[in-house]
Amino acid sequence: VTTIALFIFTGYFAQYSVRRRNYELFYYLHHIYLVVFIVSLLHAASSWYYILGGLGLWAFDRCKRMWLRSRRWYATEYRALADTTTHLELSPCDELFGHDCDFRFSCGQYLYLNVPAISPWEWHPFTISSAPSDGKVTCDIKRAPGPADSFTAQLFALAENKHEIGGLSVNVDGPYGEFLDHTRFDNILLIAGGIGVTPIHSIFRELMLKIKAGAASSSLHVHMVWCVQKRIGLEPCLHTLQEAAADNLNGQIQISIFVDRDDALGRGEVGDYLGVPVTGGRPFIPDLIAELEGKPRPHVFVCGPPGIASMSDLACLKHGVSFHKEVFAF
């Protein structure tokens, strides 16, 4: 009966609409399964043969995560951007030895972030938006639609009022997730929609820096396509876009920026935002992917709304192009 009840509760809170609003409850509910182990031992003492392996792996994982989360981090820079995005630059600090801890990540990975000033119990996953070669860890976190007491809303409020708060202490767990091995491809198309640009920016900037340093193949071509609602939405990645617009590195990098809700920019019209060329409307993704057909070792990486991901998936399947998408479910 206990096991059945737990399955029912877990199934209910695993529903996207419920999990989206009550992620902490969904997360901590899984720990109740420890009761199942206790009940099993009470029911059959010899069941420890079957329990020990899985429970040992779980305990090892929890201990490792507790160790990672015990390191002290600070937001050395946190500011509110005009498009309701919070920009965080994070620095691990080893208070015991008095120097920075080693934190290595690959482009496209994410971390779990906790801000004690908001809640000591809330941990949320956010993609690392900086490139590993930058030598720093940054996250650009968009304020999600919803109540003012949501995590992203409170984080944005902290950034807006940082002159009243002072230094911001945070906790970090990670990095986690897959990463793009650029050595497997020659023609990479990166497609982003809105704040889905965070892993795309990390990948694009890393490859741009590698090309500049002569650490990437001369046959590598990287094309970044990003669609935003307003030009102000380009602010989180503006420095990278300006660099790419000023120098395409002999044609090895390319940016195509689209703005689909700008009254001053009609569909198909070309404008400018602080040195970055922008086009009105939305990109026609199937045509962009069709251009990759026949090119050596093509790959498409997408992060954005489900519509963009589905359209890209179908086009890649049609033209036989390697495809990967990122979905943020929480």
Side-chain angles (χ1 to χ4, degrees):
V1 176
T2 303
T3 304
I4 294 174
L6 286 173
F7 272 121
I8 293 173
F9 278 117
T10 304
Y12 172 74
F13 284 102
Q15 298 298 312
Y16 178 78
S17 58
V18 180
R19 186 180 70 226
R20 182 80 179 180
R21 297 191 304 269
N22 305 278
Y23 175 70
E24 286 73 35
L25 190 57
F26 161 76
Y27 174 78
Y28 286 110
L29 181 66
H30 285 70
H31 293 71
I32 300 178
Y33 274 91
L34 291 172
V35 176
V36 175
F37 292 118
I38 297 173
V39 172
S40 298
L41 288 172
L42 292 175
H43 180 70
S46 60
S47 63
W48 69 269
Y49 287 115
Y50 308 98
I51 293 174
L52 187 61
L55 197 59
L57 290 173
W58 176 83
F60 173 77
D61 176 73
R62 297 312 304 169
C63 290
K64 182 179 179 181
R65 285 200 168 200
M66 287 177 63
W67 175 74
L68 289 173
R69 293 180 176 187
S70 67
R71 295 183 296 181
R72 195 73 168 177
W73 286 66
Y74 291 98
T76 54
E77 179 185 349
Y78 61 107
R79 52 192 170 90
L81 305 182
D83 67 335
T84 66
T85 297
T86 305
H87 176 79
L88 295 176
E89 184 172 327
L90 308 173
S91 176
C93 178
D94 190 334
E95 294 180 336
L96 181 62
F97 297 103
H99 57 77
D100 287 347
C101 301
D102 186 26
F103 184 83
R104 298 180 182 179
F105 67 94
S106 298
C107 46
Q109 290 190 302
Y110 66 94
L111 53 78
Y112 280 92
L113 179 69
N114 167 258
V115 182
I118 296 176
S119 169
W121 308 111
E122 288 193 48
W123 291 81
H124 294 271
F126 297 107
T127 306
I128 302 171
S129 57
S130 55
S133 297
D134 283 330
K136 60 183 179 181
V137 181
T138 66
C139 292
D140 291 284
I141 302 168
K142 181 79 171 179
R143 175 178 174 173
D149 62 348
S150 68
F151 180 85
T152 54
Q154 291 186 73
L155 182 63
F156 186 74
L158 286 176
E160 284 187 307
N161 301 297
K162 64 180 180 180
H163 59 282
E164 301 174 4
I165 301 167
L168 184 64
S169 175
V170 299
N171 298 311
V172 170
D173 178 12
Y176 297 104
E178 298 182 38
F179 60 92
L180 176 66
D181 181 7
H182 70 90
T183 61
R184 297 172 51 205
F185 310 106
D186 288 325
N187 291 274
I188 301 175
L189 176 61
L190 305 172
I191 303 174
I195 199 59
V197 75
T198 48
I200 299 297
H201 173 264
S202 177
I203 295 168
F204 181 79
R205 182 165 181 81
E206 177 69 6
L207 295 180
M208 182 178 71
L209 294 175
K210 284 185 176 295
I211 293 171
K212 282 185 176 181
S217 170
S218 59
S219 62
L220 178 64
H221 178 267
V222 187
H223 184 188
M224 174 180 171
V225 179
W226 185 18
C227 184
V228 295
Q229 293 183 352
K230 302 286 186 180
R231 298 186 215 199
I232 197 68
L234 303 178
E235 194 171 351
C237 308
L238 188 58
H239 62 296
T240 298
L241 298 177
Q242 289 171 332
E243 286 183 44
D247 183 4
N248 67 4
L249 303 179
N250 296 319
Q252 284 194 263
I253 62 172
Q254 179 183 353
I255 57 171
S256 298
I257 309 301
F258 293 84
V259 182
D260 68 345
R261 294 187 185 178
D262 193 323
D263 296 334
L265 196 63
R267 183 173 181 81
E269 292 183 3
V270 178
D272 179 89
Y273 181 73
L274 300 177
V276 178
V278 297
T279 304
R282 297 182 179 182
F284 190 63
I285 294 174
D287 282 355
L288 294 171
I289 294 175
E291 294 175 3
L292 293 175
E293 188 173 7
K295 291 186 177 180
R297 301 198 301 172
H299 181 70
V300 175
F301 189 108
V302 178
C303 186
I308 292 180
S310 299
M311 187 186 304
S312 303
D313 193 357
L314 291 173
C316 287
L317 185 63
K318 177 181 178 181
H319 297 286
V321 176
S322 173
F323 174 73
H324 177 83
K325 67 178 179 181
E326 287 292 333
V327 177
F328 295 95
F330 298 130

